[in-house]
Amino acid sequence: MSFVQPLVMCQNGVRLEPLSLAHEEGLRAAAADGALWKLRITSVPEPQDTRAYIETALQMRADGHRFAFAVRDDATGEVLGSTSFHDILPAVKRVEIGYTWYRKSAQRSHVNTTCKLLMMGHAFDQLGCNVVGWRTDNFNFASQRAIERLGARKDGVIRGHALRRDGTIRDTVMYSMRAGEWPEARAQLLYLLELHAHAQ
């Protein structure tokens, strides 16, 4: 049995459901909102590569390394983006959260905070993870700030770690959170969501 089992998670009008080929058109439209594939520091698929992107995610799921979700607006069904558990290590009860991107119109909203609350809650409270990790491009400063707002701690930088889409080699910034740090992080995420709700 896989460590991460299929599930649907919903909160604050955001729905996470297992990514499938049925999401192809919605995912393509989400990527087109802001032409996100043009950003050299992201893994957003180009329109013609959307199906292959999903097929790769499904193969990684079958191999037990990654479990990808489609992020949807729970009221309209619109696909807002995608996020994943990855580098799943059942033996040490560790997962990472990544492959995350959202259509431009959903950025700087409550969507990412809600997704992280759901995923971190599932990892720590249901899966019993000891550690949840994140990794990002050393030049993706927005991603680094977002991860740090979650309460994650910077572990360090792996130099010369991976290829970017433009063929350059990136350094990877690694972050993590231990189970004992989760209650305080959860309280902070709930506080941020409450602030957002009052600002609307």
Side-chain angles (χ1 to χ4, degrees):
M1 181 180 291
S2 297
F3 186 57
V4 180
Q5 292 293 302
L7 78 156
V8 173
M9 298 181 281
C10 299
Q11 190 166 335
N12 299 331
V14 177
R15 177 184 177 92
L16 290 175
E17 59 189 33
L19 184 66
S20 73
L21 289 172
H23 296 112
E24 182 179 355
E25 288 302 318
L27 213 62
R28 184 181 292 116
D33 182 356
L36 302 178
W37 62 87
K38 293 183 180 179
L39 301 175
R40 67 190 286 262
I41 53 177
T42 70
S43 60
V44 182
E46 295 187 37
Q48 69 273 14
D49 297 331
T50 304
R51 187 177 185 86
Y53 177 88
I54 297 172
E55 289 173 341
T56 297
L58 293 175
Q59 184 59 56
M60 293 175 78
R61 172 176 155 185
D63 294 339
H65 305 310
R66 176 183 171 195
F67 194 104
F69 294 91
V71 181
R72 303 185 83 152
D73 182 304
D74 198 31
T76 66
E78 180 182 50
V79 176
L80 304 176
S82 183
T83 188
S84 300
F85 289 121
H86 67 95
D87 284 74
I88 299 167
L89 301 173
V92 294
K93 292 191 173 180
R94 175 189 168 102
V95 298
E96 293 186 32
I97 296 174
Y99 294 90
T100 300
W101 58 272
Y102 307 104
R103 61 192 314 141
K104 189 174 182 180
S105 58
Q107 295 173 15
R108 300 185 181 280
S109 71
H110 69 294
V111 171
N112 183 55
T113 305
T114 300
C115 286
K116 294 302 187 292
L117 180 66
L118 288 168
M119 295 181 77
M120 292 162 70
H122 185 69
F124 286 123
D125 300 333
Q126 275 72 53
L127 299 179
C129 285
N130 296 313
V131 177
V132 171
W134 294 263
R135 61 181 70 187
T136 189
D137 191 296
N138 62 304
F139 284 126
N140 194 342
F141 302 116
S143 176
Q144 291 173 46
R145 287 192 298 270
I147 293 168
E148 289 165 5
R149 278 197 302 271
L150 299 173
R153 299 190 183 184
K154 185 176 178 179
D155 295 320
V157 179
I158 304 175
R159 301 176 68 186
H161 182 239
L163 280 174
R164 296 189 183 95
R165 65 194 315 138
D166 64 359
T168 58
I169 300 174
R170 83 175 201 185
D171 294 347
T172 298
V173 187
M174 303 293 294
Y175 291 88
S176 67
M177 180 184 295
R178 290 187 174 274
E181 298 161 346
W182 165 232
E184 178 62 23
R186 176 174 51 202
Q188 177 65 9
L189 289 174
L190 290 170
Y191 171 71
L192 292 173
L193 287 169
E194 184 179 351
L195 284 182
H196 177 82
H198 287 311
Q200 295 303 328

